[in-house]
Amino acid sequence: MNYIYLCVNYDSSLVLNETLVEWKEKCNKVALFVVDNYINETEKNKVEIICDKHGATFFSRANLGYGAALNFGLSKILAEYSDVSNKKNTYVFFGNCDVKPVNEIKIDIPPNKIPMLNVYKKGVNCNPYMNSAQVLFIFLLCLAGKKKSKTLFLLWRIFYNFARFFPARVIAVHGSLFCLSIEDLKVIH
C-alpha cells in the first residue's frame, strides 16, 4: 500500500507539526502534502518551515475557501501520481490538518469499495461535529490565532470539548478526513 496525506492549513500551525509527526509515525511510507490557505506572511513562513522539517510538499495560495484548497491539492496530487502503476493500492487521505491517526493505518479492502473512516476515542464513535453550544466558544479560537497564544488555544479546547455534552443541536460536521484510492479519485475529481 502507498499512502498520501493532504491537509488544508488555515492559521493552524499550532497543530500542524503534531499532525505531521503522527502521520509519519502511524502511516508507513506516507507522502505528505499541505495547502496553506494564506492568512498572513508570518503563518505562511511557519507552515513552510514545518513542512520542510517533515518533508511535506508545501503549497501556499490565496484563501478561496476550504473546498477550493482541497481541490487544488488533489489536482496537484493527481498530476504528480498520474503514472503510479498500482492506483488501486495508492490511497489519498485528505481533510483538515487537526485530524490525525491514533493507530497504525492499514487498509485491507476490496479495490471496488471506498473505505469509511470513523474517529473513535476509547471505543466510542466520536466523529467530529459542532453543536450550537460549541459555537459560543469559537471567539476563543479566533483570539488564540490572532494572539498566537497556546494558552488561549488550550482554554478553547477545554470549553469546546466540555460544551459537546450540553444538550444542543448539531449544526455542522467538521474536522473530516476522507480517503479514496488514486483510481477512484481520478473518476470523481
Side-chain angles (χ1 to χ4, degrees):
M1 294 288 172
N2 300 307
Y3 301 110
I4 300 165
Y5 172 66
L6 164 68
C7 69
V8 174
N9 178 73
Y10 178 74
D11 204 19
S12 340
S13 60
L14 289 174
V15 296
L16 180 63
N17 185 65
E18 182 182 330
T19 298
L20 295 181
V21 165
E22 290 295 321
W23 276 95
K24 285 171 62 177
E25 286 178 1
K26 304 286 191 322
C27 193
N28 191 21
K29 298 179 185 174
V30 65
L32 304 169
F33 290 80
V34 176
V35 177
D36 182 47
N37 257 351
Y38 185 88
I39 187 168
N40 61 42
E41 209 52 36
T42 304
E43 177 72 3
K44 176 188 165 215
N45 292 338
K46 285 181 185 176
V47 173
E48 194 166 15
I49 289 167
I50 291 168
C51 288
D52 284 345
K53 177 180 170 185
H54 296 290
T57 302
F58 170 76
F59 303 105
S60 183
R61 57 192 305 278
N63 184 358
L64 300 176
Y66 175 74
L70 274 182
N71 283 328
F72 173 82
L74 291 170
S75 294
K76 295 290 189 182
I77 288 169
L78 284 173
E80 186 169 327
Y81 287 85
S82 63
D83 294 333
V84 173
S85 61
N86 197 351
K87 292 180 176 85
K88 289 181 182 178
N89 288 324
T90 300
Y91 289 92
V92 181
F93 295 89
F94 53 101
N96 290 17
C97 69
D98 60 346
V99 180
K100 50 190 175 261
V102 292
N103 296 311
E104 184 180 352
I105 293 179
K106 293 180 183 176
I107 295 180
D108 185 22
I109 58 169
N112 61 343
K113 300 283 184 195
I114 295 175
M116 177 65 184
L117 302 176
N118 289 299
V119 178
Y120 288 91
K121 287 183 183 173
K122 297 180 183 174
V124 177
N125 187 334
C126 296
N127 283 322
Y129 67 89
M130 182 182 297
N131 68 33
S132 54
Q134 290 170 310
V135 169
L136 300 174
F137 300 103
I138 292 294
F139 78 94
L140 271 177
L141 180 62
C142 296
L143 189 60
K146 255 186 208 172
K147 302 278 186 190
K148 305 295 184 209
S149 168
K150 288 183 181 181
T151 304
L152 284 175
F153 179 73
L154 291 173
L155 187 62
W156 166 77
R157 283 181 69 177
I158 290 167
F159 284 127
Y160 184 82
N161 287 331
F162 182 69
R164 72 187 176 122
F165 297 108
F166 294 171
R169 63 187 171 85
V170 172
I171 60 170
V173 174
H174 68 96
S176 302
L177 184 67
F178 308 96
C179 179
L180 292 170
S181 70
I182 287 281
E183 182 179 64
D184 292 332
L185 191 57
K186 284 186 113 169
V187 171
I188 65 167
H189 193 265

